[in-house]
Amino acid sequence: MSKLGSLGARLHRGEISYDFVGKRKIWYGVSILITITAILGLAVRGLNMSIDFQGGAVFTTPNHMSTSVAQAETYAKDASGHQAVVQKLGNGSLRIQVAGLDTAKSDQVKESLAKDLKLNPEKLAADLVGPSWGQEIANKAWEGLAIFMVLVVIYLAIAFEWRMAIAALVALIHDITITTGIYALVGFEVSPGTIIGLLTILGYSLYDTVVVFDSLKEQTKDITKQTRFTYSEIANRSINGTLVRSINTTVVALLPVAGLLFIGGGFLGAGDLNDISLSLFVGLAAGAYSSIFIATPLVADLKEREPAMKSLTKRVMAKRAQAASEDGVVGGGDVEEAAPAVVGPRNQPVSRGRGRGRQTGKRR
């Protein structure tokens, strides 16, 4: 068995573990800091909406243009009076986007651009996008997102419980905020492909969270009938039991997306791939983080406020204190420590016969 597989098996059996739930305040602080940074990015820089949402014209030059991106931006701005977004595609052509142009203005800009770029106007492809179409896409995207959130809360409340539904909703909002904030800070365009990417990563994030919740639901069945572990400790065991699986699925999902973003969009210059690949890359990473560090610790926080869970915690702590006290008396100083907060393998009974003399002869 590989080292990673052996580690996963030991985590699943509870032989080793990391106290994710016990250190939840650290993860909350990190998430709040990242979220504030994302919100500031949105407030200060805003989102760079593509012409699909604003309306405008897209001009595409023939292949292997010698004109630089900076020169093309200057030509487009001079011709239209608007700021232009220029991308150099993998085949050497230029994609020039200018927002806020109508049909008449678009024809004028095309003629001026063709002259500056020393092209035949017929070889400069032009596509016009109406603002009403982009606004309709935006409205449909917000409607779809709202419906998705409502359905998620209803499903999780029925399949699990309302606390898990709330925790999953917080994790999803966390992922959306971080992803959109990264878009604002980086300055990538928000296109219909971006919306598709956002909806895709929400489904992935939810799937990863539900896997942990399912394990937690199974392990906390009849939890109040035992006095060995608290709810938070069992929640921590659930995270550790699915940790390697979460890491594996996240890495496998991120590898092809990283190829699209860094090789396709960056190295090869296929700018259209950036629209969807950045949202997928950031969203997948944020979703994996939130399912481990946010959703389950938040469920534990909410559950520990219940009177039944508070009573259970008191009984568990009292039993451990009693066991430690009894071991101290019986062992004569060789005190067996109480069960730690991090759930691990069950404590094996300490042998008291070791080191003591044994009668091997027959009684006379």
Side-chain angles (χ1 to χ4, degrees), residues 52-269:
D52 295 303
F53 296 103
Q54 300 182 67
V58 180
F59 304 97
T60 306
T61 67
N63 299 346
H64 308 295
M65 289 291 297
S66 59
T67 307
S68 68
V69 171
Q71 286 177 321
E73 288 177 347
T74 302
Y75 294 154
K77 184 176 181 180
D78 293 341
S80 64
H82 298 274
Q83 193 69 36
V85 177
V86 180
Q87 294 174 323
K88 189 146 191 156
L89 306 182
N91 56 9
S93 63
L94 296 174
R95 186 172 183 260
I96 305 170
Q97 300 180 68
V98 184
L101 297 182
D102 54 19
T103 303
K105 186 67 174 177
S106 174
D107 293 337
Q108 296 176 13
V109 173
K110 179 180 178 180
E111 293 291 334
S112 179
L113 270 177
K115 183 179 178 181
D116 292 334
L117 296 171
K118 298 178 181 180
L119 292 172
N120 184 339
E122 297 297 326
K123 293 185 178 180
L124 185 62
D127 295 314
L128 193 64
V129 180
S132 60
W133 184 78
Q135 187 63 39
E136 183 179 355
I137 289 180
N139 291 337
K140 293 295 183 183
W142 284 113
E143 290 176 7
L145 182 61
I147 293 172
F148 175 80
M149 292 291 193
V150 171
L151 292 178
V152 163
V153 171
I154 294 175
Y155 168 75
L156 291 180
I158 295 174
F160 299 98
E161 60 172 301
W162 67 267
R163 294 168 188 82
M164 291 184 177
I166 295 298
L169 181 62
V170 170
L172 290 177
I173 295 174
H174 167 274
D175 299 340
I176 294 174
T177 304
I178 290 177
T179 306
T180 54
I182 294 295
Y183 263 85
L185 293 172
V186 174
F188 277 20
E189 279 192 336
V190 177
S191 68
T194 305
I195 305 301
I196 294 172
L198 280 174
L199 294 176
T200 302
I201 61 103
L202 290 181
Y204 177 87
S205 175
L206 181 64
Y207 168 76
D208 214 29
T209 301
V210 167
V211 169
V212 183
F213 283 178
D214 187 62
S215 173
L216 180 57
K217 178 183 177 182
E218 182 67 25
Q219 294 193 48
T220 54
K221 186 178 181 180
D222 298 328
I223 184 176
T224 56
K225 295 181 179 179
Q226 55 85 45
T227 55
R228 184 170 180 81
F229 301 122
T230 66
Y231 189 94
S232 293
E233 291 169 352
I234 295 181
N236 195 69
R237 168 174 282 183
S238 298
I239 298 176
N240 281 275
T242 58
L243 181 62
V244 172
R245 175 204 162 279
S246 297
I247 294 174
N248 286 339
T249 54
T250 301
V251 170
V252 169
L254 282 176
L255 286 177
V257 175
L260 287 175
L261 179 61
F262 299 110
I263 298 177
F267 182 72
L268 298 179

Side-chain angles (χ1 to χ4, degrees), residues 278-298:
L278 180 63
S279 62
L280 287 174
F281 187 84
V282 176
L284 288 173
Y289 173 85
S290 64
S291 65
I292 296 173
F293 296 97
I294 302 299
T296 307
L298 184 56

